[in-house]
């Protein structure tokens, strides 16, 4: 059996690298590492995990309300959670759904929103994770 030690990176398709880099740094809170010379990929740091924005032709998410549960979640410190939601609102980002899920695999208050291409993102105050060692 293979034993992984971490997630090295994950990729999100975007239609505009510059616009999405600005969104993921200024709104989501990632740190820009580099953009390839062709401008078709940007590497960001998401709290120690590399997030790669990869340029694709639009539409990226043609039916945003039918995402089928596919999304990317970013853990927010408990004391910063409400401030993070206010930060979204300040930047004109609509919170599309909020809940405090308990008794599952990933527990805690969470709020969902979209990036500029309609990809569903989540801020979660992760109170417990059943997979934690």
């Amino acid at each position: 059996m293979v034993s992984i030690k971490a997630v090295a990176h994950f990729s999100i398709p975007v239609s505009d690298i510059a616009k999405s880099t600005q969104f993921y740094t200024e709104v989501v809170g990632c740190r820009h590492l580099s953009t390839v010379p062709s401008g078709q990929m940007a590497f960001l740091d998401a709290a120690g995990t590399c997030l790669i924005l990869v340029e694709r032709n639009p539409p990226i998410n043609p039916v945003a309300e039918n995402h089928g549960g596919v999304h990317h979640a970013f853990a927010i410190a408990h004391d910063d959670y409400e401030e993070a939601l206010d930060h979204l609102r300040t930047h004109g980002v609509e919170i599309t759904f909020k809940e405090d899920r308990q008794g599952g695999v990933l527990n805690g208050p969470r709020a969902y929103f979209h990036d500029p291409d309609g990809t569903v993102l989540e801020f979660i105050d992760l109170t417990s994770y059943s997979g934690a060692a």
Side-chain angles (χ1 to χ4, degrees):
M1 169 154 193
V2 174
S3 179
I4 62 170
K5 65 178 187 173
V7 173
H9 67 81
F10 65 101
S11 303
I12 296 178
V14 300
S15 63
D16 183 319
I17 292 290
K19 180 178 180 180
S20 292
T21 297
Q22 183 177 7
F23 179 84
Y24 278 90
T25 57
E26 294 180 10
V27 177
V28 177
C30 297
R31 182 172 52 93
H32 181 256
L33 300 172
S34 69
T35 300
V36 298
S38 68
Q40 295 179 319
M41 292 173 64
F43 294 82
L44 309 178
D45 176 66
T49 299
C50 185
L51 163 56
I52 306 170
L53 302 177
V54 181
E55 188 173 62
R56 291 289 182 258
N57 292 327
I60 302 298
N61 293 290
V63 186
E65 64 276 3
N66 187 22
H67 55 83
V70 175
H71 67 283
H72 306 284
F74 298 89
I76 304 294
H78 174 74
D79 291 342
D80 297 334
Y81 179 73
E82 288 300 327
E83 183 179 330
L85 301 189
D86 288 342
H87 180 76
L88 292 175
R89 292 181 193 104
T90 298
H91 283 83
V93 177
E94 177 188 1
I95 295 170
T96 58
F97 182 71
K98 280 177 64 175
E99 68 176 341
D100 185 356
R101 193 177 309 159
Q102 299 296 326
V105 173
L106 296 147
N107 297 298
R110 64 202 63 210
Y112 297 88
F113 57 100
H114 294 102
D115 79 357
D117 286 296
T119 298
V120 179
L121 304 176
E122 172 187 341
F123 277 171
I124 182 170
D125 172 4
L126 187 62
T127 58
S128 68
Y129 168 50
S130 66

